[in-house]
Amino acid sequence: MDWDCQFRGACFDGSDMSAVLHPVSPAIQIQDLRVDYGKFVAVDDLTISVPAGEIFGLVGPNGAGKTSTFKVLATLMEPTYGEVRLAGIEIFEQPEAARRVMAYMPDLAPVPSDLKVWEFLDCFAEAHELGNAAQRRERIEECLDLVSLADKNNVFCKTLSRGQTQRLVLAKTLLHRPKVLILDEPASGMDPMSRRQLRLALRNLAADGATVIVSSHILSELSEMCTSICVMNRGKLLAAGSVEEVRRVLGRTERILTLGVVERVDEAVGWLQGREHVAEVRLAGERIAFSFAGSARDQAQLVSDLVQEAFLIHALEEQRSTFEEILLDVSGSNAAAAPNLPLS
Amino acid sequence: MSDTPPAFPPSSPRHWWSNPIFRRYARSRLRPQALMAGLLVVGIIAAFIYFGVRTGFRYQAHMVEADAERAVLVPLLIFQAIILFLAGTGQVAAGITAEADEGTLDYQRLSPMTPLAKVLGYVTGLPVREWCLFGITLPFTGWALWKGEVEAASWVPVYAALLSSAVLYHLTGLVAGTVVKNRRWAFLVSIGVIFLLYTVIPQAAKFGLVYFKYLTLWPVVDENIAGMMPREAGGLIRLAKSLEPDVRFFGLHFSEIAFTLFTQIFLSLTFGMMLWRRWRRAESHLLGKAWALGIFAWMQLMLLGNALPLIAPGLLFPSRQFNRRFFREENWQPQVSEAVVMIGVYGAVTLLLMVVLTLIITPGTEQQITGLQRGRKLGWKRLPPLSDPASSLWIVVLMAVAGAAGWTVFSTQLLGSEWFAGHQLVPYASGAFLLVLLGGGLICQGVLEAWGGQRFFLVCVFGAVLPVMVGGIVASVGDRSLTAATWLAGVLPVASPVYAAVVLVPTVDVPRDVVRALPRAFWFWQVVTALATGWVVWRLREIRQARRALVYKEDGRS
Ligand SMILES: Nc1ncnc2c1ncn2[C@@H]1O[C@H](COP(=O)(O)OP(=O)(O)OP(=O)(O)O)[C@@H](O)[C@H]1O
Ligand SMILES: [Mg+2]
């Protein structure tokens, strides 16, 4: 395809994923990670490395192996084999040192039923040796402010709502200023406001040099939040890189364009049907919708040509095929190809 | 957030009270309202015991004041033991399962404390309310000790043993709560263990397994209770006690308290190590293979060390204690049947111990396959034989050998003593003992490793529980069916040590039908067991090879 040639230089080459993503001293380095549950391979020779300061998204359908990978990163589970370094620390050799620099937020994060919010946080503030009682209290208040739970300081954890619980656990995760944050679906159950806060908090952290690895089912949100992502399915890495690169590697560049013209609508439809890269032209209400598979330059050319043809354009909108669709495709086609069936 | 994090002052060395896990539970379990209610109830009960007993003895039994005060001590001790042993242990087991249930245990796994600090945090933190409740009873005890003029030499060992037992039981609760996933079951299991310890184990101790009684408070209380009772009653006990002086361990003598502490600390350390392993790696077995073997050998040594010195003076025999208490015959003589039962019980307990350790060290299917995968990646030819995923077959064989050796020593010494002049163990006894232990042990091991825990459970039900029940029913039908019952019960692995004892010690007075049926039943079932063992070991070998092939096949794939 056309775009393929044009972008080959920057194109993400699936055969050598490490080349693009691996500059010096990555904050998270996963090498040949494998996790088995008996005969079932949940994570299959996964290699990822994330430079410091990135917000790295892990995307994949249910059962892709995201949680399994995260549990290994968090030193909660021993993998079958593989090497993991967090901020330069070999986590299986020095789990306690790794736990000092890292924080993990499990999906459906639980809270103890018999503690108050500040007691829950203080327990971990103590474990991380965050100073004396006053210093710890200050830090706890800071973190609660960050997730807008300051007013819940003195209530029992079990009385919080789902989203509040999630935010509380996020506050716990931030407590000791970890260098590496491992967040498993942190946004689940949060309302739009809290998600925005989460996004801002993560950006701030990343700006301070922390590295975040996050998984989510709300993928559009991941693409807003993350500096780079990787797509996983059935334990295997399918693509990694910036959102654009991943899109390209997975071969999903066509998008739906909708065009609003003031007059000569039928003529415009006819004109479009003859163009390169254009397909499926149809009328959607007042507008013309068609799918477009060219590059950004091609798209610019198309607009310019439309103007030259003296069509009166009042709107042009682009709907990329969403990540959800990409993933649906990916998991669908992979299920058919079944590259990673259990070894039975 | 954007400025650089301030450096926190270097933390002072941690004391146990500043252990975050301890403090977490000190907060949640010592909330004023609940604590006050608890303290009030316990305080009232303690006061009731104190004043009730004291007044009763002082004015009804007309004792002098000091004696009346002393009379209070034992009831209070029982109350304290209930608080610490039962309530405390149950609380520990339930508390740790609750954390696992909720999922918050993972947070503790993640906190950067050493595994040891975590174990200590839980074992001190979870029962913290019970310790407080115990504390509120202490003023009563203290007052009674002072007013009753009880010597420190009497009460210090008792309370030392109380504390060490409490810690041991709490650790037991912690292990139970770590292994049993269900909150209610963990609670019941841990309480059940304590209950067994105080009901069944003392009975087992009467049949030669003296060692186990040092897991309880009894020996120390026995030794020191005289000083804590009203003087009249105390005198009698002291006299009785002087007949059985101190603890013997082979040629050595210990005081009861020293040996109790020694035993309990050893077991506490073992439990502590199990928990440490689990905190370090959630997937680990509770015990490594070498440790399991070591502990098995150690237990044999302890059982023998406590039992053998008691043979010559006749102290080991249940009938002697019985005689002393009820008949007081001058020329008491142990029965041969008694020795047979003791030998049987020794074998059964050895076998049970072996099965428990086998359960701990045998890898499951998943674990073994994962281990093989790792081995393939790292280029190992075979799994390191002592690693968790490696087969436990050889360890079980070694345990059987060690167990058979201990069993043989016990039997030989027992029958070789002057009590049983003229009786002898048949020369091939040690071989038969080994056969019994190998059969039971390897079938357990093989079924567990090849097919997993559920199949093992089924085998237990069909191989052990059903025959006993059916045998019991058949036996109760009438004398003639005794033969059939004998045959049926013989299938039971735990019965075979007893059968072995009966068969291998000639001239025993058991019912005629049984005498005729028993040797045949024993050897028949031994042959069956041996065949079954062979089959299981062979199947296990095949299954292991299949697993290996499965894993290494992938080499071709990739
Ligand atoms: N404890 C376990 N025992 C057996 N299989 C497991 C276990 N945990 C996970 N799996 C399997 O491993 C695979 C990966 O699970 P994992 O939880 O890592 O997926 P995930 O990507 O986090 O999925 P989700 O998006 O639903 O959270 C799944 O197919 C799951 O069935
Ligand atoms: Mg998940």
Side-chain angles (χ1 to χ4, degrees):
Chain A
M1 274 187 281
D2 203 2
W3 60 267
D4 207 343
C5 309
Q6 279 189 330
F7 286 84
R8 182 149 295 157
C11 185
F12 183 77
D13 183 359
S15 64
D16 184 15
M17 291 170 181
S18 46
V20 176
L21 280 174
H22 302 188
V24 273
S25 78
I28 303 173
Q29 189 166 30
I30 305 173
Q31 187 78 40
D32 288 343
L33 182 70
R34 167 151 173 162
V35 177
D36 292 80
Y37 296 106
K39 296 180 185 177
F40 184 80
V41 191
V43 179
D44 196 357
D45 287 347
L46 186 72
T47 299
I48 297 177
S49 93
V50 184
E54 291 249 353
I55 303 178
F56 188 83
L58 198 57
V59 185
N62 286 143
K66 306 182 296 287
T67 300
S68 305
T69 308
F70 280 8
K71 281 195 168 161
V72 171
L73 291 190
T75 68
L76 285 177
M77 195 165 77
E78 183 149 278
T80 305
Y81 52 74
E83 233 177 78
V84 179
R85 286 173 179 280
L86 295 182
I89 298 167
E90 224 294 88
I91 65 166
F92 307 119
E93 275 158 28
Q94 297 171 276
E96 278 146 41
R99 285 167 190 163
R100 282 181 195 280
V101 301
M102 155 269 279
Y104 168 64
M105 176 169 170
D107 59 347
L108 297 178
V111 286
S113 52
D114 56 348
L115 285 182
K116 293 180 174 175
V117 166
W118 73 270
E119 291 171 337
F120 172 58
L121 294 178
D122 197 42
C123 177
F124 299 100
E126 279 179 317
H128 283 283
E129 300 174 5
L130 302 187
N132 60 28
Q135 287 167 311
R136 291 200 307 267
R137 189 170 321 127
E138 197 180 321
R139 179 66 190 149
I140 288 170
E141 275 163 15
E142 237 173 81
C143 288
L144 283 177
D145 264 341
L146 221 71
V147 297
S148 310
L149 276 183
D151 54 328
K152 300 283 184 188
N153 196 10
N154 208 26
V155 305
F156 276 96
C157 294
K158 65 181 170 200
T159 63
L160 297 179
S161 72
R162 179 76 224 134
Q164 287 169 335
T165 303
Q166 203 76 8
R167 275 147 57 191
L168 170 58
V169 177
L170 181 67
K172 171 203 168 282
T173 322
L174 300 177
L175 213 52
H176 61 287
R177 299 195 175 89
K179 289 204 190 105
V180 176
L181 280 97
I182 302 159
L183 310 177
D184 201 356
E185 296 173 31
S188 70
M190 287 190 186
D191 59 17
M193 265 305 281
S194 320
R195 286 191 188 162
R196 221 172 75 92
Q197 279 174 347
L198 172 69
R199 222 160 36 228
L200 288 177
L202 295 191
R203 289 220 178 113
N204 281 338
L205 282 166
D208 286 350
T211 312
V212 183
I213 181 166
V214 53
S215 78
S216 170
H217 280 147
I218 304 129
L219 303 161
S220 51
E221 182 194 73
L222 261 193
S223 56
E224 277 175 51
M225 181 158 60
C226 296
T227 48
S228 53
I229 63 167
C230 81
V231 179
M232 243 182 121
N233 189 34
R234 297 175 162 257
K236 284 211 186 277
L237 187 64
L238 295 182
S242 72
V243 174
E244 275 304 304
E245 284 165 344
V246 168
R247 205 189 278 282
R248 220 177 298 129
V249 166
L250 296 179
R252 307 296 138 157
T253 49
E254 77 265 24
R255 54 261 192 203
I256 308 292
L257 296 182
T258 56
L259 183 70
V261 286
V262 177
E263 286 161 3
R264 300 159 60 204
V265 177
D266 291 339
E267 202 182 322
V269 170
W271 185 85
L272 278 170
Q273 271 164 348
R275 293 281 303 190
E276 204 185 348
H277 304 311
V278 173
E280 296 171 44
V281 186
R282 61 192 141 70
L283 271 175
E286 301 277 283
R287 303 206 173 172
I288 305 165
F290 58 94
S291 83
F292 187 77
S295 65
R297 180 172 287 270
D298 296 330
Q299 192 172 326
Q301 188 63 49
L302 179 81
V303 176
S304 142
D305 289 352
L306 275 166
V307 173
Q308 291 229 318
E309 294 286 324
F311 289 109
L312 295 177
I313 302 169
H314 68 82
L316 177 70
E317 274 173 36
E318 176 183 319
Q319 292 174 347
R320 295 255 164 162
S321 63
T322 57
F323 258 124
E324 278 82 356
E325 287 164 35
I326 293 181
L327 275 178
L328 275 177
D329 270 11
V330 161
S331 48
S333 63
N334 264 48
N340 187 22
L341 275 184
L343 8 124
S344 54
Chain B
M1 280 297 303
S2 54
D3 48 356
T4 48
F8 294 113
S11 55
S12 52
R14 245 180 213 161
H15 306 288
W16 64 265
W17 63 85
S18 67
N19 181 310
I21 298 178
F22 171 76
R23 299 201 11 142
R24 173 228 183 284
Y25 279 105
R27 276 178 182 143
S28 69
R29 299 217 63 229
L30 298 183
R31 297 206 187 280
Q33 272 189 344
L35 181 65
M36 288 314 286
L39 287 180
L40 206 66
V41 170
V42 169
I44 287 174
I45 295 177
F48 184 77
I49 293 174
Y50 176 81
F51 290 109
V53 173
R54 181 175 163 280
T55 320
F57 276 88
R58 183 92 174 84
Y59 300 107
Q60 305 293 315
H62 304 289
M63 281 190 179
V64 292
E65 194 186 333
D67 276 350
E69 294 281 357
R70 283 179 169 210
V72 168
L73 288 170
V74 173
L76 274 179
L77 182 69
I78 293 171
F79 184 50
Q80 288 161 342
I82 290 174
I83 295 175
L84 281 183
F85 295 176
L86 289 184
T89 306
Q91 187 56 49
V92 171
I96 195 85
T97 16
E99 273 218 37
D101 248 15
E102 283 178 344
T104 46
L105 200 65
D106 275 352
Y107 295 143
Q108 299 297 3
R109 284 194 192 293
L110 286 176
S111 65
M113 301 157 66
T114 60
L116 181 66
K118 289 174 187 171
V119 174
L120 287 179
Y122 275 107
V123 83
T124 51
L126 279 168
V128 67
R129 189 190 293 168
E130 282 67 29
W131 282 111
C132 286
L133 298 181
F134 168 69
I136 196 84
T137 65
L138 283 181
F140 297 99
T141 303
W143 182 259
L145 286 174
W146 183 48
K147 281 293 184 185
E149 295 160 17
V150 178
E151 289 164 27
S154 295
W155 68 265
V156 168
V158 171
Y159 276 84
L162 182 80
L163 298 190
S164 121
S165 301
V167 171
L168 175 65
Y169 302 160
H170 293 171
L171 279 165
T172 314
L174 210 52
V175 173
T178 310
V179 176
V180 182
K181 297 292 176 238
N182 177 300
R183 210 181 294 200
R184 209 157 294 146
W185 273 110
F187 183 83
L188 287 178
V189 165
S190 58
I191 300 261
V193 168
I194 310 294
F195 185 74
L196 286 184
L197 215 50
Y198 280 82
T199 52
V200 175
I201 296 289
Q203 307 306 317
K206 288 198 186 121
F207 286 89
L209 303 165
V210 192
Y211 177 66
F212 290 123
K213 75 177 182 191
Y214 296 107
L215 301 180
T216 71
L217 210 51
W218 290 133
V220 176
V221 168
D222 251 13
E223 185 186 52
N224 296 290
I225 200 69
M228 291 173 69
M229 295 274 274
R231 266 160 272 210
E232 260 171 79
L236 278 178
I237 293 174
R238 196 170 287 135
L239 188 74
K241 190 64 210 167
S242 65
L243 296 173
E244 287 173 53
D246 42 9
V247 185
R248 310 264 189 85
F249 185 70
F250 293 115
L252 306 172
H253 293 251
F254 295 94
S255 74
E256 304 274 356
I257 178 67
F259 200 77
T260 297
L261 288 181
F262 170 70
T263 306
Q264 298 198 346
I265 287 173
F266 169 76
L267 213 67
S268 291
L269 288 179
T270 309
F271 285 155
M273 193 188 54
M274 291 178 173
L275 294 163
W276 180 82
R277 284 173 64 93
R278 274 294 166 99
W279 276 107
R280 206 185 37 140
R281 271 187 46 205
E283 300 90 352
S284 320
H285 289 159
L286 285 177
L287 284 173
K289 293 197 162 61
W291 270 96
L293 186 59
I295 285 173
F296 183 77
W298 173 265
M299 295 292 269
Q300 287 295 322
L301 200 68
M302 289 291 133
L303 287 173
L304 290 177
N306 279 154
L308 297 186
L310 300 185
I311 294 177
L315 291 169
L316 198 63
F317 300 99
S319 73
R320 178 169 183 278
Q321 294 166 18
F322 212 66
N323 178 58
R324 242 196 21 231
R325 212 155 286 173
F326 300 105
F327 306 118
R328 298 173 183 278
E329 269 179 46
E330 277 301 307
N331 43 3
W332 162 87
Q333 175 81 21
Q335 306 284 311
V336 185
S337 57
E338 205 173 340
V340 168
V341 171
M342 286 162 75
I343 293 173
V345 169
Y346 189 101
V349 167
T350 300
L351 184 63
L352 276 178
L353 198 63
M354 235 174 92
V355 170
V356 169
L357 289 171
T358 306
L359 268 167
I360 291 180
I361 60 170
T362 302
T365 312
E366 291 201 358
Q367 203 180 13
Q368 193 156 64
I369 290 183
T370 306
L372 286 167
Q373 292 284 8
R374 182 175 304 148
R376 177 180 72 97
K377 176 75 174 177
L378 299 179
W380 293 339
K381 284 219 168 52
R382 45 182 299 209
L383 293 170
L386 292 180
S387 66
D388 280 359
S391 176
S392 56
L393 187 112
W394 289 108
I395 302 290
V396 172
V397 171
L398 288 178
M399 282 202 281
V401 171
W407 195 4
T408 309
V409 170
F410 181 77
S411 314
T412 326
Q413 294 283 321
L414 195 62
L415 286 177
S417 67
E418 29 186 77
W419 300 107
F420 304 108
H423 293 280
Q424 242 180 352
L425 211 56
V426 292
Y428 52 86
S430 53
F433 286 157
L434 184 62
L435 197 68
V436 167
L437 292 182
L438 268 184
L442 284 182
I443 287 184
C444 283
Q445 189 275 338
V447 171
L448 266 173
E449 189 171 324
W451 297 288
Q454 279 181 353
R455 199 74 78 85
F456 174 74
F457 181 74
L458 283 184
V459 168
C460 283
V461 169
F462 283 101
V465 180
L466 275 187
V468 176
M469 288 165 61
V470 176
I473 295 170
V474 172
S476 65
V477 170
D479 263 3
R480 257 186 302 161
S481 56
L482 216 54
T483 311
T486 309
W487 275 86
L488 262 173
V491 97
L492 181 75
V494 183
S496 58
V498 181
Y499 278 42
V502 177
V503 174
L504 302 176
V505 182
T507 61
V508 182
D509 35 354
V510 271
R512 200 168 44 88
D513 288 344
V514 178
V515 155
R516 248 189 300 149
L518 213 138
R520 278 186 233 153
F522 173 71
W523 289 115
F524 172 76
W525 286 118
Q526 281 317 301
V527 170
V528 171
T529 310
L531 290 177
T533 309
W535 183 77
V536 167
V537 169
W538 173 72
R539 278 295 294 154
L540 173 63
R541 202 180 130 80
E542 276 192 344
I543 286 174
R544 270 213 312 269
Q545 280 169 352
R547 284 177 191 160
R548 224 184 128 76
L550 189 76
V551 167
Y552 282 79
K553 185 185 72 185
E554 263 185 74
D555 273 340
R557 197 197 66 166
S558 54

